[in-house]
Amino acid sequence: MPERDKLLEEMTDNVASIVLRDNYLQTQALSVAELGGVHAVPAYARLIQTLEASGHLNRAVEGLPSDEELDRRIAAGEGLTRPELAVLLAYSKLRLYEALLASDVLDDPVMTEDLVQAFPEQLQQRFGAEIRNHPLRRELIATKLSNAIVNRGGIPLAFELAEETGAGLDQVVGAFVVAREVFNTRALWRLIDSYDYRIAADVQIGLHREAASALKRQIEDILRFSGEGMVPSSMIARLKPGIERLIPQVEDLLRPEPRAMVEQYRQVLQERGTPPDVEQALLLLVVLNGGVGVALLAEELGKDEADIAHAYTLLGDRLGLDWAAGMASSLMPADPWERLLIAGTAHDFERVRLDLIRRLVQAGDGASAQDIVAQWLDEQEACANRIRALVANVRASKPATTAKLTHLASQVRQQLAH
């Protein structure tokens, strides 16, 4: 007993730190959610409907607004209140916790780190084996992960991605863990958090929102390219080495259109007062958009990631698909249904290139993917010209809309299928 009491006393500050950290992150998540204002109301309305339909929420009991009231707020330019967002934050975590407990995602060895971090350092050091075999192991990991994806990714993130990709909520959380490890987003989060009281609070909250937006695109690609039954630890092992090999070469891979978009984003970050190190970290995560599909295709074909990436960007540049993909990613959906359409369209501009590279390389003579694609562009000049004309037509008919870009994606796929 004296030894136990001594240990408890030693852990006091550490336990307090863990509790306060959780409170900090949850409060921060509410601030990020609140920043969305009226533009985020359709997403929260859809989340409320989803939770109600599954029997996990009674909006009347929780004092949440009706659909009619939400429509009125949109018309009046009003968002959800902080207490309303707090209710949705809690219910989203509870729903994710439930989905995780019913899945085998929690049994993946990569989740052990989340389990260990739930305990004070003194216990980690002295009782590591006991923690790993804790009788409530699954419940503890489910709690940590449901907190992490909502606090860092946003209240509706998991539910939006489940709708957009057809994945289960547990699969979305698994993909979140993959993205977190492959792209080392913990370092980005810590970096932004390190500017507490050093930059304006609204700037810091905005940076977390930017990080969540960039992270969502990576999670979506992981879900779309991995298929059902993804094992997070296996996907990390497949993806991380390739992404790490791509990172030093990203500057060389950028073609004029995406480079201009990156520079425009850099200017926006600088105008907001973003610290240079945070700016660079955010830009890297944005520039690596598309890296998941490239790395997995390189593994499948036995090619170097940079070779596949050069072939990918060559197609994007020569066919005008870089512009189309960038426009699709920048569209602001008016409602959840348009959001689903935009997500699919943005992915189509990525998928058509990867599918073509796969077909050409598999039918090729062993040359580099970049050379094979360059040869195809020369030999299929008529097809390439038709696609460029389609893109130019949409580009000239300003503004770019969801309908125009969705139709364009369908036409491009038809052209490249022949």
mmCIF file of all heavy atoms in Angstrom, residues 3 36 55-56 61 63 99 168 202 272 287 298 320 327 337 366 396 412:
data_model
loop_
_atom_site.group_PDB
_atom_site.id
_atom_site.type_symbol
_atom_site.label_atom_id
_atom_site.label_comp_id
_atom_site.label_asym_id
_atom_site.label_seq_id
_atom_site.Cartn_x
_atom_site.Cartn_y
_atom_site.Cartn_z
ATOM 1 N N GLU A 3 3.738 1.681 -1.236
ATOM 2 C CA GLU A 3 4.322 1.806 -2.574
ATOM 3 C C GLU A 3 3.289 2.327 -3.575
ATOM 4 O O GLU A 3 3.598 3.169 -4.420
ATOM 5 C CB GLU A 3 4.851 0.449 -3.037
ATOM 6 C CG GLU A 3 5.574 0.519 -4.383
ATOM 7 C CD GLU A 3 6.106 -0.830 -4.827
ATOM 8 O OE1 GLU A 3 5.973 -1.810 -4.052
ATOM 9 O OE2 GLU A 3 6.629 -0.913 -5.941
ATOM 10 N N GLY A 36 -16.466 27.691 -38.741
ATOM 11 C CA GLY A 36 -17.166 27.395 -39.994
ATOM 12 C C GLY A 36 -18.376 28.273 -40.230
ATOM 13 O O GLY A 36 -18.777 28.491 -41.387
ATOM 14 N N GLY A 55 -30.999 6.372 -34.958
ATOM 15 C CA GLY A 55 -31.509 6.227 -33.595
ATOM 16 C C GLY A 55 -30.540 6.631 -32.514
ATOM 17 O O GLY A 55 -30.731 6.297 -31.342
ATOM 18 N N HIS A 56 -29.513 7.391 -32.878
ATOM 19 C CA HIS A 56 -28.496 7.787 -31.901
ATOM 20 C C HIS A 56 -28.712 9.194 -31.340
ATOM 21 O O HIS A 56 -27.958 9.619 -30.476
ATOM 22 C CB HIS A 56 -27.108 7.699 -32.532
ATOM 23 C CG HIS A 56 -26.674 6.298 -32.806
ATOM 24 N ND1 HIS A 56 -26.950 5.653 -33.989
ATOM 25 C CD2 HIS A 56 -26.004 5.408 -32.034
ATOM 26 C CE1 HIS A 56 -26.458 4.431 -33.950
ATOM 27 N NE2 HIS A 56 -25.886 4.255 -32.783
ATOM 28 N N VAL A 61 -34.913 16.465 -27.689
ATOM 29 C CA VAL A 61 -34.441 16.266 -26.316
ATOM 30 C C VAL A 61 -33.168 17.070 -26.071
ATOM 31 O O VAL A 61 -32.974 17.647 -24.988
ATOM 32 C CB VAL A 61 -34.197 14.768 -26.042
ATOM 33 C CG1 VAL A 61 -33.477 14.579 -24.703
ATOM 34 C CG2 VAL A 61 -35.506 14.003 -26.050
ATOM 35 N N GLY A 63 -32.252 19.788 -27.605
ATOM 36 C CA GLY A 63 -32.387 21.216 -27.881
ATOM 37 C C GLY A 63 -31.714 21.664 -29.154
ATOM 38 O O GLY A 63 -31.318 22.838 -29.278
ATOM 39 N N ALA A 99 -19.215 2.294 -33.111
ATOM 40 C CA ALA A 99 -18.822 1.629 -34.360
ATOM 41 C C ALA A 99 -17.480 0.925 -34.224
ATOM 42 O O ALA A 99 -17.281 -0.175 -34.756
ATOM 43 C CB ALA A 99 -18.765 2.657 -35.493
ATOM 44 N N GLY A 168 -17.370 2.104 -43.925
ATOM 45 C CA GLY A 168 -17.951 2.134 -42.602
ATOM 46 C C GLY A 168 -17.220 3.136 -41.731
ATOM 47 O O GLY A 168 -16.074 3.515 -42.014
ATOM 48 N N ASP A 202 -7.322 33.406 -33.298
ATOM 49 C CA ASP A 202 -8.115 33.112 -34.488
ATOM 50 C C ASP A 202 -7.237 32.607 -35.633
ATOM 51 O O ASP A 202 -7.662 31.767 -36.437
ATOM 52 C CB ASP A 202 -8.922 34.335 -34.922
ATOM 53 C CG ASP A 202 -8.055 35.539 -35.253
ATOM 54 O OD1 ASP A 202 -6.927 35.612 -34.738
ATOM 55 O OD2 ASP A 202 -8.507 36.406 -36.029
ATOM 56 N N ARG A 272 -2.488 35.691 -43.726
ATOM 57 C CA ARG A 272 -3.161 35.411 -42.454
ATOM 58 C C ARG A 272 -2.193 35.449 -41.274
ATOM 59 O O ARG A 272 -2.610 35.292 -40.135
ATOM 60 C CB ARG A 272 -3.833 34.042 -42.507
ATOM 61 C CG ARG A 272 -5.011 33.972 -43.472
ATOM 62 C CD ARG A 272 -5.567 32.564 -43.520
ATOM 63 N NE ARG A 272 -6.669 32.442 -44.462
ATOM 64 C CZ ARG A 272 -7.242 31.288 -44.797
ATOM 65 N NH1 ARG A 272 -6.804 30.161 -44.251
ATOM 66 N NH2 ARG A 272 -8.247 31.255 -45.660
ATOM 67 N N VAL A 287 0.652 19.627 -51.098
ATOM 68 C CA VAL A 287 1.358 19.214 -52.317
ATOM 69 C C VAL A 287 1.332 17.691 -52.478
ATOM 70 O O VAL A 287 1.302 17.174 -53.602
ATOM 71 C CB VAL A 287 2.814 19.730 -52.289
ATOM 72 C CG1 VAL A 287 3.639 19.091 -53.394
ATOM 73 C CG2 VAL A 287 2.832 21.243 -52.452
ATOM 74 N N ALA A 298 2.762 2.645 -57.825
ATOM 75 C CA ALA A 298 4.188 2.328 -57.985
ATOM 76 C C ALA A 298 4.497 0.960 -57.371
ATOM 77 O O ALA A 298 5.222 0.155 -57.966
ATOM 78 C CB ALA A 298 5.039 3.410 -57.324
ATOM 79 N N GLY A 320 -4.498 19.096 -69.335
ATOM 80 C CA GLY A 320 -5.279 20.122 -68.639
ATOM 81 C C GLY A 320 -6.000 19.608 -67.412
ATOM 82 O O GLY A 320 -6.832 20.311 -66.826
ATOM 83 N N MET A 327 -9.744 22.849 -59.630
ATOM 84 C CA MET A 327 -11.038 23.530 -59.563
ATOM 85 C C MET A 327 -12.058 22.685 -58.804
ATOM 86 O O MET A 327 -12.838 23.201 -57.989
ATOM 87 C CB MET A 327 -11.561 23.813 -60.972
ATOM 88 C CG MET A 327 -10.874 24.952 -61.684
ATOM 89 S SD MET A 327 -11.095 26.572 -60.855
ATOM 90 C CE MET A 327 -9.521 26.707 -60.009
ATOM 91 N N TRP A 337 -25.513 16.929 -50.775
ATOM 92 C CA TRP A 337 -25.564 16.142 -52.008
ATOM 93 C C TRP A 337 -24.571 16.656 -53.031
ATOM 94 O O TRP A 337 -23.940 15.867 -53.747
ATOM 95 C CB TRP A 337 -26.996 16.150 -52.550
ATOM 96 C CG TRP A 337 -27.978 15.664 -51.528
ATOM 97 C CD1 TRP A 337 -28.903 16.404 -50.852
ATOM 98 C CD2 TRP A 337 -28.086 14.331 -51.009
ATOM 99 N NE1 TRP A 337 -29.589 15.612 -49.956
ATOM 100 C CE2 TRP A 337 -29.105 14.339 -50.026
ATOM 101 C CE3 TRP A 337 -27.423 13.133 -51.278
ATOM 102 C CZ2 TRP A 337 -29.468 13.204 -49.316
ATOM 103 C CZ3 TRP A 337 -27.779 11.995 -50.570
ATOM 104 C CH2 TRP A 337 -28.798 12.036 -49.610
ATOM 105 N N GLY A 366 8.740 -2.205 -70.658
ATOM 106 C CA GLY A 366 9.658 -2.103 -69.528
ATOM 107 C C GLY A 366 10.315 -0.750 -69.389
ATOM 108 O O GLY A 366 11.122 -0.540 -68.483
ATOM 109 N N ALA A 396 -13.163 28.162 -70.205
ATOM 110 C CA ALA A 396 -13.564 29.445 -70.786
ATOM 111 C C ALA A 396 -14.960 29.856 -70.325
ATOM 112 O O ALA A 396 -15.283 31.051 -70.313
ATOM 113 C CB ALA A 396 -13.531 29.360 -72.309
ATOM 114 N N VAL A 412 -13.874 12.965 -70.123
ATOM 115 C CA VAL A 412 -12.451 12.576 -70.128
ATOM 116 C C VAL A 412 -12.317 11.066 -69.956
ATOM 117 O O VAL A 412 -11.515 10.424 -70.629
ATOM 118 C CB VAL A 412 -11.695 13.338 -69.006
ATOM 119 C CG1 VAL A 412 -10.286 12.759 -68.850
ATOM 120 C CG2 VAL A 412 -11.619 14.820 -69.326
#
